[in-house]
Amino acid sequence: MTGGCEMCGYYEYDEEDDNYYCTVNLDEDEMYRFVTGRMRECPYFQYRDEYRVVRKQM
């Protein structure tokens, strides 16, 4: 996967389950490709950039 899930903005921590989850809603075909490892890179990857809002304010 491009960049790895750990660096993606959609990879969020759930305190109740004490786990990280991808919050992108995949359709049935995309989920199949993801689970079977046939998806080479994630089309929804978004680099986690905490300072994006601050740069817009400058």
Side-chain angles (χ1 to χ4, degrees):
M1 295 270 173
T2 301
C5 291
E6 295 81 21
M7 298 184 70
C8 183
Y10 296 112
Y11 196 60
E12 297 180 7
Y13 181 70
D14 183 4
E15 292 180 11
E16 280 188 30
D17 293 340
D18 194 31
N19 277 320
Y20 286 89
Y21 295 100
C22 179
T23 58
V24 172
N25 291 326
L26 301 176
D27 67 15
E28 188 176 320
D29 295 330
E30 290 172 326
M31 181 59 80
Y32 175 76
R33 286 192 300 271
F34 179 73
V35 171
T36 59
R38 294 181 182 177
M39 186 181 287
R40 295 185 185 265
E41 54 185 48
C42 181
Y44 303 107
F45 179 81
Q46 179 183 25
Y47 184 72
R48 183 176 293 149
D49 188 3
E50 295 87 9
Y51 299 106
R52 179 177 35 187
V53 174
V54 174
R55 281 195 295 272
K56 286 184 180 180
Q57 294 174 351
M58 296 173 107

